[in-house]
């Protein structure tokens, strides 16, 4: 009796519960349209540290600690911390995890890491391998800019398709019991690469992966887009979102009614001058931990599909002429719909 | 009825089988003491590619394809590829996975990635979430040197505690049935950092993590070192191995009889001039896929414990004055012992 559904999807029979979440963001994100949903808004994006990398790591540490507090648990109660981020060698996660007494599984899925970590955490709970698991991720505008693009001091111009890496960290606490939103299906994605080479247009690079995973999720589960109150891709941004809506039409699915992209929502693109929107691991993390989760608790959404999307290039592969592989992992979360 | 044993260990009731493995190494590894155990020895460490990074990726791709061939399976039969490597943004794995039609879970655990991926793959099989999973990892001396240390062209001198990153990739195919070596217990490690800051002495940095995970594994399972025919840490090298033997004595465990370190074994340290031995994700990968697995098939080892070890620093964190966090994950493999 397998738990597999269709070609690429797992049904989580035991319904891992998302007991609580924490979202921490920087000042710019805290000035955006979703500001009322975030738990903590930093006044200073260095968070009192002497480097942006240390600041990012401290955000994840804080997100984990706040999540423990909200869940009324101690570090020793958590069987696994499953986390990743964008920094080389996922340094933000490693150094956050160093300071907690929790067994650690490090992931790298670029900006798909929130749904990847949530999928792995769900499997650990569903399979009865753990009582409590925290899934977390982070990103930081200033650590990402200097690692992936140019030092901020250069004042480089941004292209019209550029996205603004979200400064933020999200953490979710998963457990076995209780009346909380629960995860039901996961669809782990395949890597898709349509040959896009512009690292300043990641939305276009990731859209085919989002489409592939969405299509497969619908085929495997027999669900249709309209079965969800909300479908949220990770950080395709304004352009990637449009491409996704167009591409998936070819498979007969209509996403025009209930589909948002976290990168498209998190900033006021005109006023906050972020071109195509937000990006980064932290983007779908804080939008799902903040806006989506809190609306589920209020009953505004009963059934949602989170599809974080990752652009899997590195600066080295781009310099060596490679195109940008994309990946997307889908996980459905439900609450109060029955 | 939980599957947890003690504080930090999982018992794999369904005994995920390791159906087959593939090890690919570069010319230097193929000239070392374990050369007879490797499946493929490259004549040229560029493997016909125009960069070391692409060569590394091509090794992992080849390891996956060879594993499919040996297992008489197609890409479509594999439910997950679980992989990671040392390159920034785990580029070797991402670009290898781009070229296969298999859902992909990316990991980052530095040189602990072989046992991390084997643990995750075992859980996916044990929990009935997949029929077939491939766990893989890779590293490459030349891509690692220029990313973590200095361009090779500089001809930098190596310190006495330095280790030589293994050029190699290992892949394991896990499945549900059959008379093959099987995984029985996994102990996911916590990050340990004793304040070591010398990136040219990673063995010392990782030893405390190895000790912590080993001690916890013994406590949780009630097993003692002598219950194993072989205990193999990942890539502590000659110095890290000595430290591990000393440190674990304080907990009352004697490792002096049946303990090897993959980094200590893979090269002839004198003749091949590798100071403290080998390192890199590929080190414990090719030693476990080659020497250990093949000796299990022959009956030479009936019960082994693989403890890949990772140094979780990045060049940026080292430049920012941070010490080196270490991690180690343990997984026991058994065959024909009953």
């Amino acid at each position: 009796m397998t738990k597999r559904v269709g070609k690429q999807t797992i049904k989580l029979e035991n319904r891992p519960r998302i007991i609580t979440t924490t979202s921490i963001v920087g000042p710019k994100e805290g000035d955006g349209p979703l500001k009322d949903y975030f738990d903590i808004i930093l006044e200073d994006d260095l968070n009192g540290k002497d480097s942006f990398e240390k600041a990012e790591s401290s955000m994840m540490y804080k997100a984990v600690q706040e999540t423990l507090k909200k869940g009324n648990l101690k570090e020793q109660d958590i069987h696994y911390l499953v986390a990743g981020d964008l920094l080389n060698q996922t340094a933000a996660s490693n150094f956050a995890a160093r300071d907690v007494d929790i067994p650690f599984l490090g992931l790298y899925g670029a900006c798909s890491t929130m749904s990847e970590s949530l999928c792995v955490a769900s499997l650990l709970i569903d399979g009865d391998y753990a009582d409590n698991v925290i899934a977390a991720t982070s990103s930081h505008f200033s650590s990402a800019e200097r690692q992936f693009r140019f030092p901020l001091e250069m004042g480089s111009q941004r292209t019209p398709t550029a996205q603004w890496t979200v400064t933020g960290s999200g953490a979710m606490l998963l457990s076995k019991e209780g009346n909380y939103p629960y995860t039901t299906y996961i669809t782990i994605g395949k890597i898709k690469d349509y040959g896009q080479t512009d690292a300043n247009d990641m939305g276009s690079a990731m859209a085919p992966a989002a489409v592939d995973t969405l299509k497969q999720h619908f085929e495997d589960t027999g669900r249709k887009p309209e079965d969800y109150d909300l479908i949220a891709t990770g950080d395709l941004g304004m352009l990637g979102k449009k491409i996704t809506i167009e591409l998936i039409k070819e498979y007969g699915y209509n996403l025009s009614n209930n589909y948002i992209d976290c990168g498209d929502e998190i900033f006021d693109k005109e006023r906050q001058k972020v071109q195509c929107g937000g990006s980064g691991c932290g983007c779908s993390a804080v939008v799902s931990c903040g806006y989506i989760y809190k609306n589920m608790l209020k009953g505004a959404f009963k059934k949602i599909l989170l599809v974080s999307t990752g652009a899997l290039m590195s600066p080295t592969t781009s310099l060596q002429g490679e195109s940008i592989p994309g990946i997307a992992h889908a996980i459905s979360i439900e609450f109060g719909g029955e």
Side-chain angles (χ1 to χ4, degrees), chain A:
Chain A
M1 194 194 62
T2 181
K3 295 158 185 169
R4 297 186 64 82
V5 180
K7 280 190 187 167
Q8 211 169 315
T9 298
I10 286 168
K11 184 173 185 186
L12 302 162
E13 297 278 2
N14 294 324
R15 298 183 167 186
R17 314 301 203 276
I18 305 175
I19 302 291
T20 189
T21 67
T22 301
S23 53
I24 300 183
V25 297
K28 188 180 179 98
E29 293 73 17
D31 182 40
L34 303 184
K35 62 182 176 184
D36 293 338
Y37 295 97
F38 301 129
D39 296 304
I40 299 170
I41 298 173
L42 300 179
E43 283 177 28
D44 165 16
D45 72 352
L46 273 169
N47 198 23
K49 303 295 174 186
D50 60 6
S51 79
F52 296 122
E53 290 77 14
K54 291 181 185 176
E56 182 180 339
S57 197
S58 74
M59 283 195 302
M60 188 188 285
Y61 177 78
K62 178 80 178 160
V64 170
Q65 293 301 330
E66 189 69 16
T67 300
L68 288 170
K69 210 166 93 182
K70 284 175 154 193
N72 200 20
L73 291 173
K74 295 194 175 69
E75 290 177 2
Q76 293 71 32
D77 301 319
I78 309 298
H79 287 148
Y80 301 102
L81 171 61
V82 184
D85 61 272
L86 290 175
L87 292 184
N88 293 344
Q89 289 74 51
T90 63
S93 306
N94 294 340
F95 282 80
R98 181 183 66 176
D99 295 332
V100 297
D101 189 35
I102 305 175
F104 175 63
L105 282 170
L107 303 179
Y108 187 79
C111 309
S112 73
T113 307
M114 190 68 238
S115 61
E116 186 185 5
S117 64
L118 186 54
C119 287
V120 172
S122 294
L123 290 172
L124 289 167
I125 297 286
D126 185 73
D128 206 16
Y129 297 114
D131 296 336
N132 302 298
V133 179
I134 291 179
T137 181
S138 67
S139 56
H140 193 297
F141 171 74
S142 300
S143 65
E145 279 302 297
R146 66 181 179 186
Q147 179 180 284
F148 286 105
R149 294 171 197 98
F150 299 102
L152 292 176
E153 291 80 354
M154 282 180 69
S156 300
Q157 273 200 310
R158 301 173 68 79
T159 71
T161 53
Q163 294 172 242
W164 190 280
T165 306
V166 164
T167 297
S169 177
M172 295 192 180
L173 170 62
L174 279 83
S175 195
K176 290 179 169 181
E177 310 272 330
N179 189 27
Y180 302 98
Y182 50 89
T183 57
T184 51
Y185 288 97
I186 68 178
T187 307
I188 299 295
K190 296 175 183 173
I191 295 179
K192 295 287 156 182
D193 187 335
Y194 280 23
Q196 215 274 81
T197 55
D198 180 0
N200 290 307
D201 179 11
M202 293 185 298
S204 302
M206 296 187 284
V211 168
D212 188 68
T213 298
L214 280 164
K215 168 193 75 87
Q216 198 60 49
H217 178 83
F218 295 138
E219 279 184 25
D220 288 347
T221 58
R223 291 182 172 184
K224 292 181 287 296
E226 49 269 35
D227 291 332
Y228 287 104
D229 297 322
L230 186 79
I231 295 169
T233 49
D235 55 343
L236 300 175
M238 189 170 62
L239 180 57
K241 182 185 170 191
K242 280 185 192 163
I243 295 171
T244 298
I245 292 172
E246 284 307 308
L247 284 180
I248 207 162
K249 274 187 192 161
E250 293 178 28
Y251 298 101
Y253 297 111
N254 176 11
L255 285 185
S256 58
N257 298 318
N258 54 350
Y259 167 44
I260 66 164
D261 177 77
C262 299
D264 192 45
E265 300 286 327
I266 191 166
F267 293 118
D268 180 330
K269 291 185 284 296
E270 286 279 308
R271 178 176 61 86
Q272 296 188 291
K273 295 184 180 163
V274 296
Q275 288 78 32
C276 265
S279 66
C281 296
C283 181
S284 67
V286 300
V287 174
S288 59
C289 290
Y291 174 72
I292 295 176
Y293 185 77
K294 290 184 180 175
N295 269 309
M296 294 198 83
L297 288 183
K298 283 195 290 186
F301 306 139
K302 293 188 166 57
K303 195 187 272 192
I304 74 101
L305 188 66
L306 177 67
V307 192
S308 302
T309 44
L312 298 173
M313 80 293 184
S314 81
T316 303
T317 60
S318 293
L319 288 170
Q320 293 184 3
E322 279 286 7
S323 52
I324 301 174
I327 196 162
H329 306 298
I331 182 160
S332 56
I333 310 174
E334 306 182 25
F335 188 49
E338 294 147 278

